[in-house]
Amino acid sequence: MKMICIGRNYSEHARELNNPLPETPVFFMKPESAQLRNNMPFFYPAFSNDIQYEVELVLHISKVGKMIEPGFAHNYFDGIGVGIDFTARDLQQKAKEKGLPWEMAKAFDFSAPVSKFIPVSEFNDLNNIRFGLDLNGKRVQDGNSSDMIFNFASIISYVSRFITLKQNDYIFTGTPSGVGPVKIGDRLEASLEGRKMLLCNIK
Ligand code: MG
């Protein structure tokens, strides 16, 4: 499996990192080895001094698809969860300044804690899904899918022009504003529609 991650999909977050708003989705990938499942702790890696959280809605891809039209995109995912796109912001900033790829900063081992998935059929309105992140019990990020620049259908359609989607792939759909650093001893809790879905202790 692979994880495709959308960057700059919430305008306030793009602004907080001084990035221009994209005209087409920006995406990058995390490999299978980036997965962190079952609320396992995240061990702070030695190569960074600025690991930051980004809470995101995550789509579970349900079947193979390529060149998917937006109107058919709903046939290609069957679950929605929350995940954290851990980012080594110091490495990413250096890469950005040099125009180099982001993989070192984004795709490293265990950089993607992901919750269980809720069946799509349990959501009333995919364009109005609330999610958020608490750091040590305090709300730091609040998101709603209504604020995405590119909605689920646009993302799936755009990405599948370049990359075949396969069953059990994940799509991270971008983070709202409020990203920030973690330190050893911190506790992150992500919620979806008011339900606690994901716990991640930083060790
Ligand atoms: Mg992200």
Side-chain angles (χ1 to χ4, degrees), residues 6 28 54 56 85 106 175:
I6 307 299
F28 58 89
E54 298 185 356
E56 311 201 3
D85 166 19
K106 287 284 199 180
T175 196

Side-chain angles (χ1 to χ4, degrees), residues 1 3 30 34-40 56-60 80-86 110-117 170-172 190 197-200:
M1 63 84 70
M3 292 179 264
K30 293 181 188 259
Q35 275 194 101
L36 187 62
R37 301 309 304 265
N38 303 317
N39 295 327
M40 293 289 281
E56 311 201 3
L57 292 172
V58 182
L59 307 180
H60 178 266
I80 300 172
V82 277
I84 299 169
D85 166 19
F86 275 127
F110 310 120
S111 60
V114 181
S115 73
K116 291 200 168 69
F117 292 93
Y170 299 164
I171 299 184
F172 277 63
M197 294 285 291
L198 176 67
L199 169 68
C200 184

Side-chain angles (χ1 to χ4, degrees), residues 39-185:
N39 295 327
M40 293 289 281
F42 174 84
F43 288 89
Y44 205 108
F47 52 73
S48 174
N49 292 310
D50 191 14
I51 298 290
Q52 298 201 356
Y53 55 77
E54 298 185 356
V55 72
E56 311 201 3
L57 292 172
V58 182
L59 307 180
H60 178 266
I61 298 297
S62 53
K63 65 176 181 181
V64 173
K66 186 168 176 60
M67 306 293 281
I68 301 164
E69 291 295 329
F72 293 96
H74 62 277
N75 293 323
Y76 291 85
F77 65 101
D78 62 359
I80 300 172
V82 277
I84 299 169
D85 166 19
F86 275 127
T87 303
R89 196 72 73 199
D90 44 357
L91 300 187
Q92 186 194 32
Q93 192 54 39
K94 278 186 205 155
K96 277 174 158 178
E97 284 163 12
K98 294 180 184 163
L100 293 172
W102 294 0
E103 267 72 9
M104 268 196 309
K106 287 284 199 180
F108 57 87
D109 285 355
F110 310 120
S111 60
V114 181
S115 73
K116 291 200 168 69
F117 292 93
I118 297 175
V120 169
S121 58
E122 292 185 21
F123 293 87
N124 293 325
D125 181 0
L126 297 189
N127 294 312
N128 183 20
I129 300 175
R130 290 179 297 122
F131 65 107
L133 187 73
D134 292 347
L135 171 64
N136 301 326
K138 181 170 168 273
R139 181 53 58 105
V140 287
Q141 286 191 278
D142 250 325
N144 191 301
S145 60
S146 63
D147 294 325
M148 293 192 300
I149 298 170
F150 301 102
N151 65 17
F152 298 152
S154 313
I155 290 168
I156 285 175
S157 176
Y158 186 80
V159 169
S160 71
R161 284 197 231 163
F162 302 90
I163 296 171
T164 300
L165 299 179
K166 294 193 171 178
Q167 189 177 23
N168 297 323
D169 286 350
Y170 299 164
I171 299 184
F172 277 63
T173 57
T175 196
S177 61
V179 302
V182 292
K183 59 185 189 314
I184 292 170

